[in-house]
Amino acid sequence: GADTGITGRADGSGYSQYVYVSYYTSNGYNITRISIVGFTGDPTNYTNVLQICNRYYNGTLNVQLVAKGAVGPSTSYESYIKDFRVYFYSPQPSSGTNYVEFQGTNVVQSSTGTIQLSQNQCAQIGAYVLVDPSLPQTARDGKTVIATYEVDVVFSTG
């Protein structure tokens, strides 16, 4: 509808992105951030926000998501996050949960089960957010950061 331009982030197709990925490098590590513009009251679910791939290791990599918590300066809106999850959409872990979860500034589910990626195989990472409908009107502009969380992608060989 008419709300597709609210984020002001064009993806080249003429449509705005409600999920976008950015990154930076710190101390030799690539830090990836997934930003989501949610709307109050309705859960928003994205099933393919990021892909994690085994492009170069000639073998199987074990991959797990680990929740670190809220990061950055407080926005004063964190308490309005009723549910925020980052999850393995495909493939699913054979045991354990497929998501890490936050509510406000609290970590509810701290780690996922492990998935395995063979060489040249990728995993789809999804994100889900539910924002309390009482979020102040001034923060409902589709551009205001409500909260920022760190989720680490942990690789091991096996």
Side-chain angles (χ1 to χ4, degrees), residues 3-152:
D3 60 356
T4 58
I6 195 168
T7 64
R9 294 180 178 91
D11 65 2
S13 67
Y15 298 100
S16 293
Q17 297 180 30
Y18 290 103
V19 176
Y20 55 97
V21 177
S22 60
Y23 72 93
Y24 66 96
T25 303
S26 176
N27 297 323
Y29 292 99
N30 288 329
I31 311 297
T32 302
R33 291 183 174 166
I34 301 171
S35 299
I36 297 176
V37 177
F39 296 90
T40 59
D42 293 328
T44 307
N45 188 41
Y46 302 96
T47 57
N48 194 11
V49 188
L50 181 67
Q51 289 195 357
I52 298 172
C53 301
N54 176 3
R55 295 278 189 228
Y56 305 105
Y57 182 69
N58 187 15
T60 300
L61 287 176
N62 297 314
V63 185
Q64 182 180 39
L65 302 177
V66 177
K68 292 298 183 181
V71 295
S74 175
T75 65
S76 75
Y77 297 123
E78 290 89 354
S79 64
Y80 294 95
I81 301 294
K82 295 304 174 191
D83 196 359
F84 179 74
R85 299 178 189 203
V86 176
Y87 62 93
F88 287 118
Y89 178 73
S90 175
Q92 295 279 314
S94 58
S95 63
T97 184
N98 72 325
Y99 64 90
V100 293
E101 180 181 13
F102 304 91
Q103 292 176 358
T105 57
N106 299 315
V107 175
V108 177
Q109 175 65 39
S110 62
S111 64
T112 63
T114 302
I115 64 165
Q116 295 185 328
L117 295 179
S118 302
Q119 189 174 25
N120 294 317
Q121 183 182 10
C122 295
Q124 286 178 261
I125 303 298
Y128 169 94
V129 64
L130 175 61
V131 179
D132 190 306
S134 66
L135 178 72
Q137 188 68 36
T138 55
R140 298 181 190 190
D141 60 2
K143 298 173 188 163
T144 300
V145 174
I146 299 170
T148 302
Y149 301 103
E150 179 180 345
V151 177
D152 291 350

